[in-house]
């Protein structure tokens, strides 16, 4: 490996976090020059982010399954996004929380590969889901295919493509084309950005091209054409009509969702490009850990945006509240009517009354 990392006799990676400190095996002990409170702070952060993400994404999945009104093809990809965020928090967030409690990757190399694979895989699924979501909105609103109707089978095919394509580009590090290795701080695992080998460089470049640049271009192209279409309609009518208003609200929701995702992931992407192009760069492990942990907060923002900006959810909530109140009122009315209605005496009652 390069000057920043070496390999021990047992095969575990040794981190040379700084030229002033000796090499440390992240699978056997924490970085002794970092105080324990730093790891406890990261652990608390991961506990908060993971808990919120699991709760929020579970709610999104639950209400979509419960209410038939929300089970529409255009919402399938949003649910798919919540599933990816839920899984990345369940696997990657939980492992990261536990390893930071200890201050090192005590679970061993297998857990390191598992976390690196899970975070990368589900993160790519989430990004490609946003790209698919943007493309679907463009097709439905701009209608480049004429009267073609978007159906459930089309959404299912798109989701299948996202998962298969993401899997294709996250499996190679487990089979020899690059690898998943501990980060500089030693409590998380990621693709081997720091290696100067040709084998690792080719994979990182390919990964960025297929799983970051390509979906980003799809997102920008789809929403660029979508906004031009809506602007033309607005200019022609003076304002958007009732037919375009829901579509505009959906587009705004997804655009904000994309911006939140990019805001979370841009520091990590920039950091990864930096260390890939300069693998021997000297960085404090705590500073190098910030972009990776900050990117994990993306799993919290998507369900918040979905719940508070999706009018379908609000309509379903209000409708169900109205139906519940209506049933209660009808029940009270029937109860009151039955109590005011003269009681019909049975023959046995008449006999008992007049005996």
């Amino acid at each position: 490996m390069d000057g920043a990392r070496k390999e021990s006799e047992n095969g575990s990676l040794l981190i040379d976090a700084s030229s002033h400190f000796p090499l440390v095996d992240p699978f056997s002990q924490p970085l002794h020059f970092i105080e324990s409170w730093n790891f406890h702070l990261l652990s608390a952060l991961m506990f908060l982010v993971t808990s919120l993400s699991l709760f929020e994404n579970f709610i999104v999945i639950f209400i979509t399954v419960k209410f038939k009104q929300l089970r529409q093809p255009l919402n399938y990809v949003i649910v798919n996004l919540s599933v990816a965020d839920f899984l990345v928090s369940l696997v990657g967030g939980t492992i990261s929380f536990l390893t930071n409690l200890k201050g090192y990757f005590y679970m061993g190399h297998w857990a390191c590969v598992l976390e690196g694979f899970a975070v990368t895989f589900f993160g790519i699924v989430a990004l490609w889901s946003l790209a698919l979501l943007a493309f679907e909105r463009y097709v439905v609103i701009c209608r480049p295919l004429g009267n073609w109707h978007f159906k459930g089978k089309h959404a299912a095919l798109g989701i299948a493509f996202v998962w298969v394509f993401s899997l294709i580009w996250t499996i190679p590090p487990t089979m020899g084309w690059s690898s998943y290795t501990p980060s500089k701080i030693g409590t998380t695992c990621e693709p081997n950005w720091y290696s100067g080998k040709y084998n690792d460089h080719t994979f990182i470049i390919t990964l960025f091209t297929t799983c970051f640049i390509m979906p980003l271009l799809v997102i920008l192209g789809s929403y660029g054409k979508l906004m031009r279409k809506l602007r033309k309609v607005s200019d022609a009518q003076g304002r958007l009509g009732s037919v375009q208003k829901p579509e505009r609200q959906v587009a705004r929701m997804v655009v904000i969702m994309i911006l939140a995702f990019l805001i979370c992931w841009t520091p990590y992407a920039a950091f990864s490009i930096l260390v890939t192009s300069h693998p021997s760069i000297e960085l404090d492990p705590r500073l190098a850990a910030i972009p990776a942990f900050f990117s994990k907060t993306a799993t919290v923002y998507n369900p918040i945006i979905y719940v508070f900006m999706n009018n379908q959810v609000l309509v379903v909530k209000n409708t169900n509240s109205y139906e519940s109140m209506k049933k209660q009122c009808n029940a009270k009315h029937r109860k009151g009517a039955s109590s005011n209605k003269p009681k019909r005496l049975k023959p046995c009652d008449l006999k008992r009354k007049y005996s």
Side-chain angles (χ1 to χ4, degrees), residues 218-232:
V218 172
I219 291 170
L220 296 177
S222 297
Y223 277 102
K225 293 181 180 180
L226 176 62
M227 293 308 167
R228 284 199 297 269
K229 174 70 174 181
L230 295 178
R231 189 177 296 111
K232 288 181 180 179

Side-chain angles (χ1 to χ4, degrees), residues 137-208:
R137 266 39 180 188
Y138 162 69
V139 171
V140 171
I141 297 176
C142 297
R143 296 186 178 276
L145 303 178
N147 292 326
W148 178 81
H149 294 285
F150 184 77
K151 300 180 180 179
K153 62 180 181 180
H154 303 125
L157 288 174
I159 292 172
F161 162 78
V162 167
W163 285 86
V164 172
F165 189 84
S166 301
L167 184 63
I168 289 174
W169 296 112
T170 49
I171 282 290
T174 66
M175 304 178 66
W177 189 15
S178 191
S179 60
Y180 293 114
T181 61
S183 61
K184 274 185 172 292
I185 201 167
T187 55
T188 59
C189 286
E190 57 195 6
N192 197 350
W193 315 111
Y194 298 93
S195 174
K197 293 182 178 180
Y198 176 80
N199 183 54
D200 296 306
H201 268 197
T202 54
F203 173 76
I204 296 302
I205 294 173
T206 305
L207 184 69
F208 268 105

Side-chain angles (χ1 to χ4, degrees), residues 293-321:
F293 282 93
F294 184 66
S295 67
K296 291 180 172 64
T297 60
T299 61
V300 178
Y301 298 141
N302 291 332
I304 292 177
I305 296 171
Y306 175 79
V307 171
F308 288 102
M309 293 193 63
N310 193 336
N311 285 339
Q312 286 182 313
V313 176
L314 299 177
V315 169
V316 169
K317 179 181 178 181
N318 294 333
T319 301
N320 282 273
S321 299

